[in-house]
Amino acid sequence: MSRSPALYTKSLTSKARRTVLKAGSTLLLSVIAPASARAAQILAVRVWPAEDYTRVTLENDSDLKTSHFIVKDPERLVVDIEGIDLNPELKSLVAKIQSNDPYIRQVRVGQNRPQVVRLVFDLKEEITPQVFTLKPVGEYRHRLVFDLYPSEPIDPIAALIKKGEWAKEEPADTMSSLIESKLDSKSKPADTQTAKANLKEELAKQTMRMVTIALDPGHGGEDPGAVGRSGSKEKDVVLAIAKRLKAKLEEQPNVRVMLTRDGDYFVPLHVRVQKARKVQADLFVSIHADAWIEPTARGSSVFALSEKGASSTAARWLANKENAADLIGGVNIKGQDRQLAHVLLDLSTTAQIKDSLQLAKAVLGEIGGINKLHKNGVEQAGFAVLKAPDIPSILVETAFISNPEEEAKLTDDGYQDQMATALTNGIKKYFAKNPPMAKGRMM
C-alpha cells in the first residue's frame, strides 16, 4: 500500500525526532553518569614509622568508606577501600614502606573488585589498628588514616631503659657512704661530728636525686608546624634543637632526658603531657619556632600557662594556633577517651604556674643573650601542652621561622647549639634556686 507524500514526510519527521531525542538522552547520560560514578582519586600517600606507632595516610579528594580485619598466622591487616580505583599514587605506597619500620613488613595493593581497592599490610608483630578519616583542614584535603599501634602499649620508661637512656636512682645511703669515705679515720669523735655536719651540708649542695626533664619538640609527622619562606619546617628545626639540648643536659650530673618524640611523627597534645607524667618529669619544656603574617616579626619568647587568659592578643593567637596542632596532625577522636583527656588538661594548679614562671624567667634571661627577645617579659596563655598539673612547664619560641633572617638562624648548626646552651643554662639556674625534693610515685 502506498503512502501519501504528506504522511511519508510526517513519518520521517517523527522518526528523526525520536533519533534526535535518543541521541540527546545518550549524550546527557554520558555527561551525568561519569560525574555520579566517578571514582575518588588518591592524591598523596605518606608513611610515618615510629617506635610509638606507624601511621599511613592516604590523602584524597573525597570522603572514603572502608572496612578492615586482622588475619592471623602470619599477622596481617586487610583493608578494603570503596569508591576508588588503583592509580599510580596508591601503587607508590608499596615502595614507601621502609625495611626498618617497627610494625609493617610490607604492603600489597590490588584492585579487589570494581571500585574497591584492597590493601594487605604484612606485619612484624601483633598490632591494634585504628582506621579513621579526617575532614579537610589547612592545606590538606580528605585524609584516610591507618594508625598501627603495638598490642602491648609501649611504656616510656621501658623504652628509655631499652635504649640505655634511663639511669637508676642513686642508693638511699649514697650520702652516708660519701661522708664516711671523706672522713679521716684518726679524727677525734668531736671533730668527726663537726666534720660530718660540714660534709653533709657541702654534699647536699653537690648531690641531688636524679632529675628527669621532658623535652617536647613541637609538631611532627602530618603536622609540619610553621614553614619558612625557604621551605624550612618548624617540626624539623625544633627536633634538631631538642636533640642538641638533650645531649647538653645529659652532660650534667644526675640528669636524664625524655623526648616526647625523637623522630618525624605526630604526637597528640594530651599524649605529650601523659608521657611526661609517666616518667615523673621534674620539668617540661616544649620547643617551637614562631610564625607571623608579617615577615618582619622577630625575636625569641618564653611562655607559661595562664589561669586567667592570655597576657596579650598575640599570645592568645599563638596558643590557639598551637592548640590546633591536633586538627592538622590528625587525632582519632573516636579512639580516645575525650573526657579523660579533657580532665587531664584542666588540672593545672596555681603552684605549677608559679614554678613555671620561675623557670620561664630563668630561661628567658639566658635566651636574651643570643637573640633579640620578642617581648622582654614572660608571656602567658592557655597552651594545652603546658597543662600538666604537677610539672613546671614552659613553651619556648626559639625564633620566627617566618622571618627570613631568623629562618636562616634556625637552620644554622651554630645557632641551634647556642640556643641549646642557653636553654641548658636557664634550666641549671632554675634548679640552683629550686633544688628538686624527693617525691612519691605519680599515678
Side-chain angles (χ1 to χ4, degrees):
M1 185 175 75
S2 63
R3 297 181 181 178
S4 67
L7 287 173
Y8 183 69
T9 302
K10 184 177 180 180
S11 176
L12 280 175
T13 303
S14 179
K15 184 177 180 181
R17 185 183 295 114
R18 287 196 301 272
T19 303
V20 170
L21 287 172
K22 184 176 180 182
S25 299
T26 303
L27 179 62
L28 185 63
L29 286 171
S30 69
V31 172
I32 295 176
S36 60
R38 183 183 64 84
Q41 293 296 306
I42 301 297
L43 306 174
V45 175
R46 296 179 291 274
V47 182
W48 309 100
E51 188 176 78
D52 292 19
Y53 72 108
T54 290
R55 167 169 288 191
V56 177
T57 303
L58 308 183
E59 189 175 357
N60 48 88
D61 60 1
S62 63
D63 200 6
L64 298 176
K65 183 180 178 181
T66 68
S67 59
H68 68 277
F69 54 92
I70 294 287
V71 180
K72 298 289 186 181
D73 301 323
E75 294 287 327
R76 284 156 287 164
L77 170 65
V78 180
V79 182
D80 286 339
I81 309 173
E82 299 180 21
I84 65 170
D85 290 325
L86 201 54
N87 69 354
E89 195 64 44
L90 192 50
K91 289 179 181 178
S92 72
L93 175 60
V94 174
K96 291 187 177 182
I97 303 300
Q98 301 173 20
S99 60
N100 62 348
D101 189 298
Y103 304 107
I104 304 175
R105 191 176 306 280
Q106 65 175 5
V107 64
R108 290 169 281 148
V109 182
Q111 193 77 44
N112 186 254
R113 53 188 186 276
Q115 291 204 350
V116 175
V117 167
R118 171 165 287 187
L119 309 181
V120 179
F121 294 94
D122 295 319
L123 305 169
K124 294 181 177 178
E125 63 175 76
E126 289 187 15
I127 57 105
T128 300
Q130 292 184 11
V131 180
F132 56 99
T133 58
L134 296 169
K135 295 185 181 301
V137 61
E139 298 182 358
Y140 289 125
R141 302 286 295 276
H142 293 270
R143 283 175 289 173
L144 174 60
V145 179
F146 311 101
D147 283 350
L148 279 55
Y149 289 90
S151 293
E152 292 293 328
I154 292 177
D155 179 82
I157 293 179
L160 290 170
I161 291 173
K162 185 178 179 181
K163 295 178 185 176
E165 297 179 359
W166 187 265
K168 293 181 179 180
E169 297 285 358
E170 294 297 323
D173 62 346
T174 298
M175 183 76 74
S176 300
S177 60
L178 282 171
I179 291 172
E180 294 300 330
S181 67
K182 288 180 177 287
L183 286 175
D184 186 346
S185 59
K186 297 180 181 179
S187 300
K188 296 178 181 179
D191 294 338
T192 301
Q193 293 302 320
T194 303
K196 278 188 176 183
N198 292 338
L199 274 172
K200 186 173 183 181
E201 184 178 351
E202 178 188 343
L203 291 171
K205 295 176 182 178
Q206 300 176 6
T207 307
M208 63 173 69
R209 66 168 173 80
M210 291 297 298
V211 172
T212 304
I213 300 173
L215 299 182
D216 175 50
H219 309 282
E222 289 288 290
D223 175 19
V227 179
R229 286 192 171 186
S230 297
S232 306
K233 296 176 181 177
E234 179 181 2
K235 67 175 183 177
D236 297 328
V237 298
V238 299
L239 179 60
I241 292 172
K243 286 183 175 180
R244 290 177 185 271
L245 177 55
K246 179 178 186 292
K248 290 181 183 295
L249 287 171
E250 288 178 336
E251 290 174 357
Q252 310 304 313
N254 298 331
V255 174
R256 57 191 172 201
V257 178
M258 185 271 294
L259 293 175
T260 58
R261 69 175 181 95
D262 57 5
D264 188 11
Y265 57 96
F266 172 70
V267 182
L269 296 175
H270 77 280
V271 174
R272 296 169 187 260
V273 177
Q274 288 174 343
K275 282 187 169 189
R277 298 193 78 224
K278 284 181 178 178
V279 299
Q280 300 187 76
D282 294 285
L283 293 183
F284 181 91
V285 180
S286 193
I287 304 171
H288 293 256
D290 215 340
W292 188 245
I293 51 177
E294 297 293 336
T296 52
R298 64 185 303 152
S300 303
S301 306
V302 182
F303 293 82
L305 188 65
S306 170
E307 282 186 303
K308 301 176 181 178
S311 56
S312 68
T313 302
R316 183 182 301 107
W317 179 86
L318 180 63
N320 290 337
K321 180 176 75 71
E322 298 296 359
N323 291 347
D326 279 356
L327 295 176
I328 299 169
V331 171
N332 181 14
I333 301 297
K334 295 179 182 178
Q336 65 170 283
D337 187 337
R338 297 297 293 176
Q339 184 177 2
L340 177 61
H342 179 73
V343 169
L344 174 65
L345 298 181
D346 274 344
L347 288 176
S348 54
T349 65
T350 303
Q352 184 260 29
I353 293 176
K354 181 182 177 182
D355 289 341
S356 298
L357 286 169
Q358 291 181 19
L359 171 62
K361 288 175 184 176
V363 168
L364 188 70
E366 294 296 320
I367 291 178
I370 66 162
N371 194 34
K372 176 183 176 182
L373 296 178
H374 186 63
K375 290 285 181 72
N376 289 327
V378 174
E379 293 204 75
Q380 292 179 264
F383 292 91
V385 80
L386 300 183
K387 292 187 177 181
D390 39 22
I391 307 172
S393 304
I394 61 171
L395 185 145
V396 179
E397 294 286 358
T398 51
F400 276 82
I401 200 169
S402 54
N403 180 305
E405 291 181 13
E406 294 205 334
E407 180 188 6
K409 280 185 175 182
L410 287 167
T411 56
D412 178 70
D413 289 345
Y415 181 79
Q416 289 182 3
D417 198 66
Q418 285 182 316
M419 180 58 66
T421 299
L423 290 170
T424 300
N425 291 338
I427 291 169
K428 285 168 64 179
K429 283 189 174 181
Y430 169 78
F431 277 126
K433 292 183 178 180
N434 304 272
M437 307 299 289
K439 59 183 179 180
R441 180 78 183 171
M442 288 185 291
M443 295 301 290

